[in-house]
């Protein structure tokens, strides 16, 4: 009589269906779990290079495609970092993936750095500034627009544009949003004095002191400081290459039930990364599940080339302003002196925003609204943006090559104003900042954007303003700080 062997365990129908739904395979998941486990158990070091796709495939007797998909999945999850032409490496924050941050970590504003960044244009070089060089701006079109406007009747030129802002500009913004897939009529738009004014209105309108909100980490320092100054409790969720760490976000939502999350779909500051379609859908599901609303700061959206729009997702285009409040700006493309932005929201939320505006800035300035409207409709705005795209791509590529040649690490996003650069494991960007500040120089180090210890080596470099001289100064400051240590 033959021995009876227990049947080999089979994957459940539910798990098999789930794997198929996500395009996963047992081999792919095995590689993912193996590398993830080795990172968490510290048998793979931060910054360590993984075997090439071909070498890994050969060692396991599987296809290159399966390994590449596994590496891509690990990269999307935050465990690996892909470097073009070099391979895959263990990411700086790999061991923090999925770990929730403590609420107490964001307890008070840190004004030492961000206040100086606001005035960064007073320092030589300008690498720390959040604006493009003046000679990149379309001065000719602005000058021509001002001459046209000067012929308008004085009561139109120097009065108010109404509580919502000038109707012609709101119509132009509505058309631009429509082209991006966001259906927002002029009645659902309020013009503002830049994105920071829009952020102020949103925070003041809906968030009382003591409320809890989520902010990406790293995040724009204006988000962090504005929310902390409003007496809010801040949670931070790691920003990955394609958006927030969704596992961590779900954990924060479950534990703390935040009222809102502040994020950026397109060219996030300081990382210049953009939100993937997959994560956008999942963020909206989390927002619905936990009754949370989303503020999407699209300040840098016009700096993304049209050729890349299909690879990213604007939350408002998927949500159509049901849970999303969309903030936009023209100050990055037209110049920081042109304080022009807007809020697009549902009719119910806009009503509250207008009420708050009535006791703050009261109404929008007609001159600014008319100027921006003329530039959008009759000027050369689209071509101007295309020129900026090309200039930023060229400057960004050149700076990335120089940064990597020095042994520093930076993600290649291919567009945007900034490079988010790690100066090397063990390097403290704060010490580098202190050394440079004593010399009358300024860099934008991680403490203005992040509270995470693993971000301590990072700085934000403006690709249009960071020259060889500044890179040399940073290198010298690194050397000086290492000797002092």
């Amino acid at each position: 009589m033959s021995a009876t062997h227990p049947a080999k365990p089979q994957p459940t129908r539910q798990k098999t269906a789930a794997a198929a739904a996500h395009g996963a395979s047992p081999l792919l998941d095995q590689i993912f779990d193996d590398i993830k486990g080795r990172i968490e158990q510290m048998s793979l070091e931060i910054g360590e290079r993984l075997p090439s796709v071909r070498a890994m495939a050969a060692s396991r007797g599987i296809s290159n495609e399966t390994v590449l998909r596994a590496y891509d999945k690990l990269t999307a999850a935050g465990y690996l970092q892909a470097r073009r032409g070099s391979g895959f490496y263990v990411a700086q924050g790999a061991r923090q993936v999925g770990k929730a941050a403590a609420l107490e970590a964001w307890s008070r504003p840190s004004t030492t750095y961000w206040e100086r960044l606001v005035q960064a244009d007073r320092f030589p070089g300008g690498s720390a500034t959040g604006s493009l060089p003046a000679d990149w701006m379309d001065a000719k079109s602005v000058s021509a627009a001002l001459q046209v406007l000067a012929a308008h009747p004085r009561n139109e030129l120097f009065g108010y544009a109404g509580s919502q802002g000038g109707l012609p500009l709101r119509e132009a913004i509505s058309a631009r949003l429509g082209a991006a897939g966001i259906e927002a009529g002029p009645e659902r738009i309020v013009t503002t004095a830049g994105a920071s004014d829009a952020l102020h209105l949103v925070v003041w309108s809906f968030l009382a002191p003591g409320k809890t909100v989520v902010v990406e980490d790293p995040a724009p320092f204006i988000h962090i400081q504005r929310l902390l100054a409003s007496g809010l409790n801040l949670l931070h969720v790691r920003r990955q290459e394609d958006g927030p760490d969704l596992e961590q976000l779900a954990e924060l939502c479950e534990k703390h039930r935040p009222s809102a999350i502040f994020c950026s779909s397109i060219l996030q500051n300081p990382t210049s990364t953009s939100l993937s379609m997959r994560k956008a859908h999942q963020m909206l599901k989390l927002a619905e599940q936990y009754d949370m609303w989303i503020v999407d700061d699209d300040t840098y959206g016009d700096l993304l080339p049209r050729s890349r729009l299909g690879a990213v997702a604007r939350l408002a285009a998927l949500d159509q302003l049901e849970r999303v409040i969309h903030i936009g700006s023209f100050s990055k493309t037209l110049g920081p002196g042109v304080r022009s932005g807007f809020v697009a929201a549902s009719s119910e939320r806009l009503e509250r925003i207008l009420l708050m505006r009535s006791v703050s800035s009261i109404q929008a300035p007609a001159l600014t609204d008319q100027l921006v409207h003329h530039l959008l409709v009759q000027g050369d705005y689209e071509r101007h943006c295309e020129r900026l795209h090309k200039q930023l791509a060229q400057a960004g590529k050149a700076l990335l090559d120089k940064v990597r040649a020095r042994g520093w690490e930076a993600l290649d996003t291919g567009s945007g104003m900034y490079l988010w650069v790690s100066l090397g494991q063990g390097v403290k960007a704060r010490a580098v900042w202190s050394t440079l500040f004593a010399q009358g120089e300024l860099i934008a180090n991680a403490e203005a954007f992040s509270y995470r210890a693993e971000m301590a080596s990072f700085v934000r470099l403006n690709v249009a303003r960071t020259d060889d001289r500044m890179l040399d100064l940073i290198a010298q400051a690194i050397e000086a700080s290492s000797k002092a240590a």
Side-chain angles (χ1 to χ4, degrees), residues 427-461:
V427 175
K428 300 297 184 184
R430 181 177 183 177
V432 175
W433 177 90
S434 297
T435 299
L436 291 174
F437 188 72
Q439 300 171 7
E441 303 286 348
L442 189 68
I443 57 169
N445 70 303
E447 289 195 47
F449 309 97
S450 174
Y451 277 53
R452 287 190 286 150
E454 62 265 33
M455 293 285 104
S457 68
F458 281 78
V459 296
R460 187 195 73 181
L461 302 181

Side-chain angles (χ1 to χ4, degrees), residues 131-348:
S131 62
L132 296 174
D135 58 4
W136 285 33
M137 298 296 100
D138 191 1
K140 183 178 179 180
S141 292
V142 173
S143 177
L146 288 171
Q147 291 181 36
V148 171
L149 294 179
H152 285 199
R154 290 189 178 184
N155 61 325
E156 293 182 12
L157 195 60
F158 298 108
Y160 285 113
S163 59
Q164 279 192 246
L167 178 58
L169 177 56
R170 287 187 286 118
E171 289 175 336
I173 293 171
S174 175
R176 292 180 61 79
L177 291 176
I182 304 170
E183 299 300 324
E187 72 281 357
R188 300 173 74 182
I189 296 169
V190 175
T191 65
T192 62
S196 57
D197 182 40
L199 179 70
H200 167 79
L201 276 174
V202 170
V203 172
W204 197 24
S205 298
F206 303 109
L207 294 170
K211 290 283 187 179
T212 298
V213 297
V214 180
V215 182
E216 296 179 302
D217 188 334
F221 64 84
I222 192 66
H223 286 193
I224 299 168
Q225 303 304 331
R226 183 65 188 84
L227 295 170
L228 289 174
S230 299
L232 301 172
N233 298 317
L234 268 65
L235 303 166
H236 61 280
V237 60
R238 281 178 293 277
R239 176 78 182 201
Q240 299 172 326
E241 292 181 23
D242 61 346
D245 180 339
L246 294 182
E247 288 186 21
Q248 187 188 23
L249 179 60
E251 187 176 346
L252 292 173
C253 289
E254 177 65 29
K255 184 176 180 180
H256 298 286
R257 304 285 167 154
S259 300
I261 178 171
F262 289 74
C263 61
S264 295
S265 291
I266 308 293
L267 296 179
Q268 189 248 17
N269 176 16
T271 65
S272 289
T273 57
S274 296
L275 184 66
S276 68
M277 189 68 70
R278 177 184 67 85
K279 282 202 170 178
H281 281 290
Q282 293 179 9
M283 282 184 68
L284 292 173
K285 287 180 181 179
L286 285 174
E288 182 176 3
Q289 179 181 352
Y290 293 101
D291 193 23
M292 177 177 65
W293 47 280
I294 301 173
V295 180
D296 190 1
D297 184 350
D298 197 31
T299 293
Y300 297 86
D302 283 351
L303 295 177
L304 185 76
R306 290 182 179 180
S307 61
R308 294 199 56 211
L309 288 174
V312 300
R314 281 186 168 93
L315 288 162
L318 301 176
D319 167 82
Q320 295 303 324
L321 303 178
E322 289 188 16
R323 289 190 176 273
V324 175
I325 295 178
H326 186 84
I327 290 176
S329 175
F330 300 106
S331 297
K332 297 301 178 184
T333 50
L334 296 178
V338 182
R339 304 306 304 157
S340 178
F342 63 90
V343 178
S346 66
S347 300
E348 295 78 11

Side-chain angles (χ1 to χ4, degrees), residues 386-399:
E386 289 176 7
R387 287 192 293 270
L388 292 181
H389 299 160
K390 293 177 182 178
Q391 288 174 290
L392 285 170
Q394 292 172 358
K397 176 64 169 61
L399 182 59

Side-chain angles (χ1 to χ4, degrees), residues 24-59:
S25 72
L27 290 173
L28 186 156
D29 289 336
Q30 287 173 22
I31 298 171
F32 181 93
D33 292 339
D34 176 44
I35 294 175
K36 172 186 172 185
R38 290 165 63 194
I39 291 172
E40 292 174 345
Q41 294 163 19
M42 301 187 184
S43 61
L44 280 174
E45 297 293 332
I46 299 298
E48 183 174 342
R49 186 179 185 274
L50 268 69
S52 69
V53 170
R54 184 176 298 176
M56 176 68 79
S59 69

Side-chain angles (χ1 to χ4, degrees), residues 70-87:
Y71 280 7
D72 284 342
K73 184 177 179 181
L74 286 158
T75 301
Y79 292 104
L80 299 183
Q81 179 187 36
R83 300 182 193 170
R84 185 176 299 175
S86 179

